[in-house]
Amino acid sequence: MCGITGWVSYDRDLTTRLPSLRRMTDTLAARGPDAQGHWTGRHAALGHRRLSIVDLDGSAQPMTAHTAHGPVVLTYSGEVYNFPELRAQLRGRGHRFTTTGDTEVVLRAYLEWGEDLVDHLVGMYAFGVWDGRTDTLLLVRDRLGIKPLYYHPTPDGLLFASEPKAILAHPDVTPTVGLDGLREIMFGVKTPGQAVWQGMRELPPGQLAVLDRSGLRRRTYWTLTARPHSDGRTRTAEQLRALLEDVVREQLVADVPRCTLLSGGLDSSAIAGLASAALARDGEPLRSFSVDFAGHSEHFVPDGHNVSPDASYARAVADHLGAHHTNLVLDPAALADPAVRRACVAARDLPIGRGDMDHSLLLLFRAVREHSTVALSGEGADEMFGGYWWFHDPALRAADGFPWLTAATGQARQERRFLTPELQKALDMPEFAAQRHREALAEVPLLRGEDPDRNRTRELLHLHLTRSLGGMLDRKDRLSMAAGLEVRVPFCDHRVVEYAYNIPWSLHTFDGREKSILREATRHVVPELVRRRTKSPYPMTQDPGYLLALQRQAREVLDQPHAPVFELFDRRTAERVAQAPWDQTANRAGQRLVLEKLLDLHTWLGLHRPRLVTS
């Protein structure tokens, strides 16, 4: 995994602009701690930071292919898992290779197929190719958007990077956030293509962009399609099992230590079990990691959806697989450390407001990185197999709006009452949320002749895959890369997604539970204890020490009479939640979310110092 950045200017000579390129590249140092590289030409400049995974001593970037009509230069982040097959195919077409990694395969694939190389790639990737033969830039992002890629058009070209911070480091860019950007921040649903920062865009999943002197064009090279599914229960489970076994085997390829992230739920246990079986063929044991909170079992209070702590289940799976398992136990002081919050906000470039859910993940990744460079994770299974409880609640299935927001707030109408009254009026969040929901529904592929309930299932799955999964993948990428760790997500292989999307709902729930077909497909590697377990979401600490620390930090912000955050956040709301005794607060979750958002916003404004345009 790596960090990439670049600059195209048709009116300037960029061979004299190396200092600006270096500043942009340096912001991505955490994504690539092992090496850096820069390439400049008259109208293009490319930067790269490398995290070495395959071909450790070769594959330096940016990588150049010298042709008779000009250089072709690649800056590339990610992994193409089918690179051995592509290398053999390209060799058969006369290409010669001097390295053993996937970077040169991608470069040679471009030389062979041009922008149509996207049809040949399997993996997670984001890259830019400068073609000096035609003075053309190609940008490509993988089908599910596992790897991020942002761009910023300029009057005479374009800037691009793995993360906004690299673009914001360019001297011609002023960090600015307007009303549309604030709406995205406050909404909490990631809109494909939106980047929050004014003038900046994110290349949507499954798209490519081509820049030449005539301008920028984009095209979609992959999207989900609705297809008939004729396989019965047994055949579906067999097909899904074979797909997952192949994908996990491909994603274990690396020249560095590998591991799995193990929560003790079905998804991570399935990935761990499949990885353990694949590694066992080479006599290699599995290494696994989990996260827990000090005193979590003692403080844990089950509700309708959080029914059991993870630790004992993760240990049971590790023992079942004979894995070398590490359980990282975090205390409230570490979770509430303002330095950890700053690191999370800096990594994500945005005030997401997920608090200890982000903080614990970053601390876990830092601990994992001391032992491994690559980790496999179970992200995506809930979105494509209907794992969340609201998939199975008749009222939420029928309700308007994004179901995970309706489930969290208890209403379809999305308001953000912690904002100042003036900003609430300017943003008009209820209408913004309704419009975004209408846009998302308009994209859903349906099959003619299917009944309304089947169509609604497709809508729910598609909403999650295109509006929920993106935020989760972004979180996993940013926080893992901040620790120099590559996290791979086998469930997000496009072949698995295509198959899962078309499985009838009756097979997803054939035993009266969530993710029935996934449970059936992985029963050979998941112990019965976990197969019987009811799904629990990613854990949040319930330790009162963490909650009290949030209030204390909020009061410190309130003590600052001119804190910029109160241009956005209603001061009286902040005072109320910062003072309310936790044991007398009826809506603890709601109060906690308000505090997390306040502290993230305050931190973000201090780090980025954006120019806010609120009218």
Side-chain angles (χ1 to χ4, degrees):
M1 203 63 60
C2 306
I4 65 171
T5 191
W7 178 12
V8 173
S9 173
Y10 291 112
D11 293 343
R12 287 183 268 194
D13 180 359
L14 296 188
T15 59
T16 65
R17 301 302 180 99
L18 182 58
S20 294
L21 178 65
R22 288 187 182 277
R23 282 195 297 273
M24 295 169 68
T25 308
D26 287 348
T27 66
L28 304 173
R31 296 186 73 92
D34 296 329
Q36 63 177 312
H38 309 87
W39 180 91
T40 58
R42 182 170 179 80
H43 295 303
L46 305 181
H48 190 267
R49 294 289 313 208
R50 186 182 186 196
L51 176 64
S52 300
I53 302 294
V54 176
D55 188 21
L56 304 185
D57 297 325
S59 300
Q61 295 191 57
M63 183 177 284
T64 304
H66 298 281
T67 77
H69 302 288
V72 178
V73 191
L74 169 69
T75 184
Y76 161 75
S77 170
E79 307 292 341
V80 169
Y81 300 121
N82 65 330
F83 79 92
E85 296 84 354
L86 286 177
R87 181 192 285 118
Q89 185 178 357
L90 290 164
R91 276 180 173 152
R93 292 171 174 259
H95 292 268
R96 295 182 178 181
F97 291 85
T98 60
T99 66
T100 61
D102 58 340
T103 303
E104 190 176 11
V105 172
V106 174
L107 180 58
R108 292 286 162 184
Y110 174 79
L111 293 172
E112 180 65 30
W113 295 302
E115 68 181 58
D116 290 335
L117 91 162
V118 295
D119 299 324
H120 299 265
L121 306 180
V122 175
M124 56 177 190
Y125 44 81
F127 58 86
V129 180
W130 173 252
D131 193 331
R133 300 170 300 182
T134 57
D135 283 354
T136 300
L137 175 72
L138 170 68
L139 298 177
V140 174
R141 192 174 183 204
D142 67 69
R143 294 170 180 85
L144 270 295
I146 304 169
K147 291 290 100 186
L149 184 55
Y150 295 84
Y151 66 94
H152 189 299
T154 64
D156 68 334
L158 177 144
L159 305 163
F160 71 90
S162 296
E163 299 180 6
K165 58 175 61 68
I167 294 173
L168 297 174
H170 189 277
D172 292 346
V173 176
T174 299
T176 303
V177 176
L179 289 176
D180 282 341
L182 289 171
R183 290 184 181 104
E184 291 291 331
I185 289 173
M186 303 306 170
F187 188 31
V189 174
K190 188 174 174 64
T191 304
Q194 299 299 316
V196 173
W197 301 95
Q198 194 163 289
M200 196 183 301
R201 299 280 296 175
E202 185 175 25
L203 190 65
Q207 286 198 11
L208 61 82
V210 178
L211 176 75
D212 59 23
R213 292 179 183 274
S214 65
L216 181 73
R217 67 172 175 86
R218 290 189 351 224
R219 77 171 174 92
T220 298
Y221 69 88
W222 180 87
T223 188
L224 269 176
T225 57
R227 301 169 185 168
H229 185 93
S230 58
D231 295 338
R233 170 179 157 184
T234 299
R235 179 62 175 161
T236 298
E238 291 172 348
Q239 288 284 92
L240 183 57
R241 180 182 304 123
L243 268 175
L244 290 172
E245 287 175 344
D246 287 346
V247 168
V248 169
R249 185 180 63 253
E250 288 176 349
Q251 297 197 16
L252 284 170
V253 173
D255 295 332
V256 292
R258 301 147 296 175
C259 68
T260 64
L261 305 178
L262 179 59
S263 70
L266 175 64
D267 311 338
S268 67
S269 299
I271 297 301
L274 293 167
S276 179
L279 292 171
R281 297 187 186 102
D282 297 323
E284 183 179 345
L286 177 71
R287 187 74 194 259
S288 60
F289 292 84
S290 61
V291 66
D292 197 7
F293 308 112
H296 189 56
S297 296
E298 292 80 0
H299 296 296
F300 183 81
V301 178
D303 57 31
H305 311 295
N306 295 272
V307 297
S308 57
D310 287 341
S312 62
Y313 290 93
R315 172 54 66 185
V317 174
D319 291 345
H320 176 77
L321 300 175
H324 295 167
H325 184 67
T326 300
N327 185 43
L328 177 67
V329 179
L330 304 174
D331 62 52
L335 288 172
D337 186 347
V340 176
R341 185 180 298 274
R342 280 195 299 273
C344 289
V345 173
R348 303 192 70 174
D349 288 316
L350 292 174
I352 304 298
R354 298 194 65 168
D356 66 304
M357 297 178 71
D358 276 1
H359 304 174
S360 63
L361 198 59
L362 176 63
L363 294 173
L364 172 64
F365 288 155
R366 287 176 176 175
V368 172
R369 185 61 177 88
E370 295 178 6
H371 306 277
S372 297
T373 311
V374 170
L376 271 63
S377 182
E379 258 74 18
D382 286 314
E383 285 73 16
M384 64 192 69
F385 294 103
Y388 297 115
W389 66 268
W390 46 83
F391 274 99
H392 309 271
D393 183 292
L396 284 172
R397 281 181 66 88
D400 286 335
F402 295 99
W404 57 95
L405 290 184
T406 304
T409 62
Q411 59 182 19
R413 181 180 173 85
Q414 294 301 311
E415 297 181 293
R416 300 296 180 264
R417 296 190 181 278
F418 55 80
L419 300 174
T420 66
E422 298 79 13
L423 189 57
Q424 288 186 55
K425 182 178 180 180
L427 296 182
D428 192 3
M429 291 302 300
E431 174 53 30
F432 177 77
Q435 176 62 27
R436 286 291 188 251
H437 183 247
R438 290 192 292 268
E439 294 168 357
L441 285 181
E443 300 172 6
V444 178
L446 303 174
L447 272 184
R448 182 177 298 177
E450 289 188 330
D451 62 64
D453 189 60
R454 179 72 170 115
N455 287 341
R456 182 54 178 161
T457 295
R458 288 194 184 277
E459 288 178 346
L460 292 171
L461 291 171
H462 200 269
L463 287 175
H464 282 77
L465 288 167
T466 62
R467 298 305 192 274
S468 173
L469 182 61
M472 295 185 63
L473 292 175
D474 186 73
R475 171 180 180 243
K476 184 60 62 75
D477 173 86
R478 298 297 194 88
L479 297 179
S480 64
M481 286 284 87
L485 177 72
E486 174 174 295
V487 176
R488 300 176 178 180
V489 280
F491 284 117
C492 294
D493 183 286
H494 73 279
R495 297 163 296 184
V496 176
V497 177
E498 288 172 344
Y499 191 71
Y501 179 67
N502 289 291
I503 295 174
W505 190 242
S506 59
L507 293 182
H508 283 298
T509 58
F510 68 76
D511 60 357
R513 297 189 55 193
E514 79 286 350
K515 294 187 288 193
S516 306
I517 197 65
L518 178 61
R519 190 177 293 104
E520 179 74 10
T522 58
R523 63 181 301 114
H524 64 303
V525 293
V526 177
E528 184 180 0
L529 177 71
V530 172
R531 293 202 308 272
R532 293 199 312 263
R533 186 188 183 195
T534 300
K535 175 182 170 53
S536 285
Y538 187 87
M540 299 172 65
T541 181
Q542 297 183 16
D543 191 304
Y546 177 77
L547 308 177
L548 292 171
L550 293 185
Q551 289 187 305
R552 183 174 62 253
Q553 292 168 20
R555 290 194 293 270
E556 291 171 358
V557 176
L558 285 161
D559 286 342
Q560 302 174 33
H562 303 295
V565 70
F566 295 114
E567 296 177 26
L568 308 174
F569 209 98
D570 183 65
R571 181 179 282 272
R572 284 177 294 182
T573 299
E575 290 171 345
R576 185 176 67 253
V577 296
Q579 300 294 341
W582 281 99
D583 59 354
Q584 298 177 22
T585 301
N587 183 13
R588 292 189 184 186
Q591 302 293 324
R592 177 175 178 160
L593 288 173
V594 170
L595 287 171
E596 298 283 19
K597 198 67 174 182
L598 168 69
L599 295 173
D600 266 19
L601 279 167
H602 175 71
T603 303
W604 174 68
L605 291 168
L607 285 170
H608 284 285
R609 302 187 184 279
R611 184 171 69 93
L612 299 176
V613 181
T614 58
S615 61

